[in-house]
Amino acid sequence: MVHQLTLGRKVFNVLNYAFLIGLSVMCILPLIHVLAISLSDKTAAASGNVTFLPVNFTWQSYTYVLSKPEFMTSFWISVERVALGTVVNMLLTIVMAYPLSKEVSQFRWRTAYAWFLVLTILFSGGLIPTYMVVNETHLMDTIWALIVPGAVPVFNVILLLNFFRGLPKELEEAAFVDGARPWTVLWRLFVPLSTPALATIGLFTIVGHWNSWFDGLIYMNNPSHYPLQSYLQTVIIKTDLVMQSAKDINSLAKISERTSKAAQIFMGALPILVIYPFLQRYFVKGIVLGSVKE
Amino acid sequence: MKRKSFSEMPYHLMLLPGVILVLIYSYGPMFGLVIAFQDFIPANGFKSDWIGFDNFTYIWSLPDTMNVLWNTIYISLMKIVAGLIFPILISLLLNEVNKSLVKRSVQTLIYLPHFLSWIILGGILIDILSPSEGIVNKGLQLLGIQPIFFLGNNDWFPYTVVITDLWKEFGFSTIVYLAALTSINPVLYEAAIVDGANRWRQTWHVTLPGMIPIIVLLTTLSLGNVLNAGFDQIFNLYSPQVYESGDIIDTLVYRLGLVDAQFGPATAVGLFKSVVSFVFISVSYLLAYRLANYRIF
C-alpha cells in the first residue's frame, strides 16, 4: 500500500520486531534450558552453570530414563491410551455429529438431542460423583477408566456438526435420490468431504489424551497402570511420594535428580513436539472451523 | 407420518451409543450430587442417611472456606483480564509485521506452550523458579536482587500463577484474534488511506472496530470461567505453604474428597461450584448470543 516509510514508522518497525522476537524467544527459552540441563552432566547441572547449551554433553540421563521399567511401562500405556481413546472419540464424534446436523424437518428429535448434550457443558456433577460412577461401573484400574467417561467429546461433536451443516445440501439429496442410506451417505460422502475438519479434531484429541494426567492419577490404584503424564506427575512434581529403589540410588551416582527430571520432562513433551508441525498446519483451519456457522 | 418416523430410525441408532455413555457418565454424576445432602458412607452407597444442609453448614464453618472462594475469584479474574488484553495487543503488533517469515516464526513459537500439559510446564517452572538453583533467580542475582521463592511465597504465588498461565495460553488467543484481523476487508483500509488516515488511525478506526465482535465473544464466553482458577496448573505448582494465597475450590474439593475421604462435604463444595458455574456459563452464552450473535449449534 504505502511504499515510502516515514522515520517514525521505521523506528516503530524496529522496536516491534525486536519486541515480538524477544517475546517468542522468551516463550521457548524455559524449554531449551531444561533440554540443556538434561544433556549436561551432574556436576555442571548442580553448579548452575548450564544456561541454554549443554555443559559436558552426555546422554546419561536419557539412557537412565529409558532403562527405567516404570517409565517405559507408563509410556506404552499412554501410547495405547492415545490410540484407543482417539479411535473411540472420533467414531462417536462422527456418528453423533451427522444426525445432529440434520434440519428439524428431516430429524424431529434433533434439537432435543442437541440440548441433551449441551446441558453437559453447562452443568456437571463434579469430581466426587464422577469418581463414584467410574467406581460403580467397575472401570477402576483399567485403561477404560481413561477412555469411557470422556468418550463423547461434546465440543467436538458440536464443531463437526456445524462443519457438516456447511456442506452443500444438494450432494446429500442426490445421494438419497439414488437410494443411498444415511449410514452410507455419512461414510461415503460426509467423512471424505470433511478430512480437514476431522484431521483438526483428531490431532487435538491426540494431544488431549497424551496430556491427560488427573484421571490416571485418581482412577488407577496401582501406579504401574499410570499413563506417562500421571507417572511424571508423581516423579517430577510430587517427588516426596516416590520411593527410591536401590537401583535408582545407584544410578544417581552418575546423574543427578535434576538432570533425570529434566530428561523425563523433555521425553514427556517429545511426542507433542513431533506432531507440532501437523498441529500447526491444521491449527488456523481449526479456528475457522470453530466459527463456521449458518 | 408413520413412514417419516421410520426414516428417522437410523439417526436414533447413530446417536444411541453416545447418548447412553453421556447418560451414565455425565448425567449419572449429576444424580450423584445427592451425596451433598447425605452423611455419605461408601459402604452404604447412595442409601446413606439424609442430613439436609449439614455438609454445607460444616463447610461454611471451616475457617479457610471464605479464603478459598476469594483466591478462586481473585486468580480467575486476573487470568480473564490478562488473557483478554495481552493477546489483543500482541495480535495488533503482529498484524503490523510485513515479513511473513518473521510473522510465521513468531506465531509458531508463541503457541507451542499451549499444547504442553501442566505436568511438563509445571516441571519446567519448578526447576527454573527454584530459589536455590533456578535460572530465573540466578538471573535476578546478577541484577543484585535477592532470590525470590515464587512458588513458595504467598506474596508472589497468585501472580506467578497468572503470569505462567499467560505464558501458556496467550499465543493461542493471539492467533484467534489474528484470524479475525486477517478477515477484515482490505477495502476498508484503502478507503481510510484515501481519507488521509495514517497507520495509527487505521488501527484505531478500522482494525479495532473489526475486532470488536470477536473481542465481545471471547469476553462473554470467558465469564463462564469465574470459578475456574485452573486446577491443572495450581495442583502442580502449589504446596501447603501457599494454601493461604493459592488454594482454590477445585483443589479443596480434591483434598477433602479424595485425600481425606470426606465425600459429603467435598460434594457439597462441588455442588456449590456447579450451580454457580451453571448460572455464569448460561448467562455468558446468552450474552454471547445477544451481543455477538453466537450460537452453539
Side-chain angles (χ1 to χ4, degrees), chain B:
Chain B
M1 204 61 200
K2 213 165 187 171
R3 227 188 106 242
K4 192 158 194 321
S5 75
F6 175 76
S7 73
E8 289 183 6
M9 222 26 222
Y11 298 147
H12 288 291
L13 287 176
M14 285 176 181
L15 286 163
L16 190 65
V19 165
I20 291 172
L21 286 170
V22 170
L23 210 52
I24 298 173
Y25 291 99
S26 295
Y27 284 84
M30 290 185 205
F31 293 106
L33 282 167
V34 294
I35 304 170
F37 305 99
Q38 292 178 335
D39 181 18
F40 186 79
I41 297 158
N44 299 348
F46 295 124
K47 289 188 199 80
S48 302
D49 293 337
W50 291 89
I51 51 167
F53 284 88
D54 283 8
N55 286 327
F56 293 88
T57 41
Y58 166 70
I59 291 293
W60 275 118
S61 73
L62 293 177
D64 299 334
T65 307
M66 268 318 280
N67 194 31
V68 166
L69 191 60
W70 163 251
N71 289 342
T72 308
I73 295 173
Y74 185 59
I75 292 174
S76 74
L77 283 183
M78 281 195 294
K79 280 185 177 177
I80 289 174
V81 173
L84 281 167
I85 294 174
F86 193 64
I88 293 175
L89 193 75
I90 302 301
S91 65
L92 286 174
L93 291 178
L94 210 48
N95 195 43
E96 298 297 319
V97 171
N98 292 324
K99 294 199 170 55
S100 80
L101 178 70
V102 176
K103 200 170 179 175
R104 263 189 294 130
S105 316
V106 170
Q107 289 185 39
T108 304
L109 296 179
I110 61 175
Y111 65 75
L112 177 65
H114 170 82
F115 293 101
L116 299 175
S117 72
W118 273 115
I119 302 299
I120 302 299
L121 298 181
I124 294 176
L125 288 169
I126 290 169
D127 185 286
I128 67 172
L129 296 178
S130 149
S132 53
E133 49 189 10
I135 191 169
V136 172
N137 277 309
K138 286 257 148 64
L140 290 179
Q141 252 171 343
L142 289 179
L143 301 173
I145 299 170
Q146 287 296 310
I148 298 166
F149 196 177
F150 291 99
L151 297 174
N153 181 331
N154 281 305
D155 294 333
W156 286 95
F157 187 78
Y159 309 105
T160 311
V161 164
V162 172
I163 302 282
T164 53
D165 181 67
L166 198 60
W167 166 49
K168 185 180 197 292
E169 301 299 345
F170 89 91
F172 194 88
S173 320
T174 301
I175 309 303
V176 176
Y177 287 118
L178 206 59
L181 278 181
T182 47
S183 65
I184 294 174
N185 193 342
V187 174
L188 294 174
Y189 288 105
E190 283 158 27
I193 291 165
V194 171
D195 290 346
N198 60 22
R199 287 304 275 252
W200 295 110
R201 298 198 73 87
Q202 287 171 42
T203 304
W204 186 251
H205 291 289
V206 180
T207 316
L208 270 177
M211 287 174 82
I212 293 289
I214 188 85
I215 293 174
V216 170
L217 178 62
L218 292 185
T219 310
T220 49
L221 290 183
S222 66
L223 274 181
N225 282 324
V226 168
L227 291 189
N228 279 331
F231 175 80
D232 281 21
Q233 177 191 19
I234 291 178
F235 186 75
N236 289 310
L237 293 179
Y238 83 157
S239 52
Q241 72 239 46
V242 287
Y243 281 176
E244 186 194 326
S245 68
D247 197 16
I248 56 168
I249 294 178
D250 292 325
T251 47
L252 180 72
V253 171
Y254 170 80
R255 290 201 316 277
L256 271 179
L258 297 183
V259 179
D260 302 339
Q262 299 198 50
F263 297 110
T267 310
V269 181
L271 177 59
F272 166 77
K273 190 198 162 191
S274 288
V275 169
V276 176
S277 295
F278 174 72
V279 174
F280 273 102
I281 299 171
S282 305
V283 168
S284 75
Y285 276 27
L286 199 68
L287 280 176
Y289 172 65
R290 288 278 166 79
L291 300 176
N293 207 16
Y294 172 79
R295 294 202 333 226
I296 316 175
F297 61 89

Side-chain angles (χ1 to χ4, degrees), chain A residues 1-2 9 12-13 16-17 19-21 23-28 30-31 33-34 37 45-48 50-52 92 95-96 98-100 102 105-111 113-134 137 139 148-149 151-152 155 158 161-162 165 172 176 182-183 186 204 207 211 213-214 217-218 229 232-233 236-238 258 265 268-269 272-273 276 279-280 283-284 287 293-294, chain B residues 1 4-8 10-12 14-15 17-19 21-30 32-33 35 40 46 86 90 92-94 96-99 102 104-120 122-124 126-128 133-135 138 167 170-172 175-176 179 186 189-190 193 199-200 202 231-233 235-238 250 253-254 257-258 263 266-267 270-271 274-275 277-278 281-282 285 294-297:
Chain A
M1 279 177 271
V2 185
R9 181 72 197 165
F12 170 81
N13 271 348
N16 191 25
Y17 277 63
F19 173 73
L20 288 174
I21 292 170
L23 186 74
S24 14
V25 170
M26 289 274 286
C27 279
I28 53 148
L31 199 63
H33 174 63
V34 169
I37 288 178
S47 66
V50 184
T51 49
F52 304 113
L92 284 167
V95 296
M96 293 185 86
Y98 176 66
L100 293 175
K102 299 290 134 231
S105 58
Q106 293 167 287
F107 183 33
R108 277 171 300 162
W109 288 83
R110 172 197 178 261
T111 315
Y113 278 118
W115 277 108
F116 173 81
L117 292 184
V118 168
L119 192 65
T120 66
I121 298 178
L122 304 179
F123 193 79
S124 86
L127 175 65
I128 307 298
T130 308
Y131 178 85
M132 304 239 160
V133 171
V134 172
T137 49
L139 298 183
V148 174
V152 180
F155 269 108
I158 292 170
L161 89 83
N162 282 319
R165 297 180 100 189
E172 189 185 26
F176 279 140
W183 192 254
L186 170 59
F204 279 65
V207 172
N211 281 345
W213 55 275
F214 188 61
L217 210 58
I218 61 173
Q229 300 283 328
L232 291 179
Q233 209 276 337
I236 297 173
I237 314 273
K238 302 273 182 271
R258 193 175 183 206
I265 289 173
I272 301 290
L273 300 179
Y276 194 57
L279 274 171
Q280 241 192 312
F283 182 65
V284 177
I287 290 167
K293 298 267 188 308
E294 280 187 57
Chain B
M1 204 61 200
K4 192 158 194 321
S5 75
F6 175 76
S7 73
E8 289 183 6
Y11 298 147
H12 288 291
M14 285 176 181
L15 286 163
V19 165
L21 286 170
V22 170
L23 210 52
I24 298 173
Y25 291 99
S26 295
Y27 284 84
M30 290 185 205
L33 282 167
I35 304 170
F40 186 79
F46 295 124
F86 193 64
I90 302 301
L92 286 174
L93 291 178
L94 210 48
E96 298 297 319
V97 171
N98 292 324
K99 294 199 170 55
V102 176
R104 263 189 294 130
S105 316
V106 170
Q107 289 185 39
T108 304
L109 296 179
I110 61 175
Y111 65 75
L112 177 65
H114 170 82
F115 293 101
L116 299 175
S117 72
W118 273 115
I119 302 299
I120 302 299
I124 294 176
I126 290 169
D127 185 286
I128 67 172
E133 49 189 10
I135 191 169
K138 286 257 148 64
W167 166 49
F170 89 91
F172 194 88
I175 309 303
V176 176
Y189 288 105
E190 283 158 27
I193 291 165
R199 287 304 275 252
W200 295 110
Q202 287 171 42
F231 175 80
D232 281 21
Q233 177 191 19
F235 186 75
N236 289 310
L237 293 179
Y238 83 157
D250 292 325
V253 171
Y254 170 80
L258 297 183
F263 297 110
T267 310
L271 177 59
S274 288
V275 169
S277 295
F278 174 72
I281 299 171
S282 305
Y285 276 27
Y294 172 79
R295 294 202 333 226
I296 316 175
F297 61 89

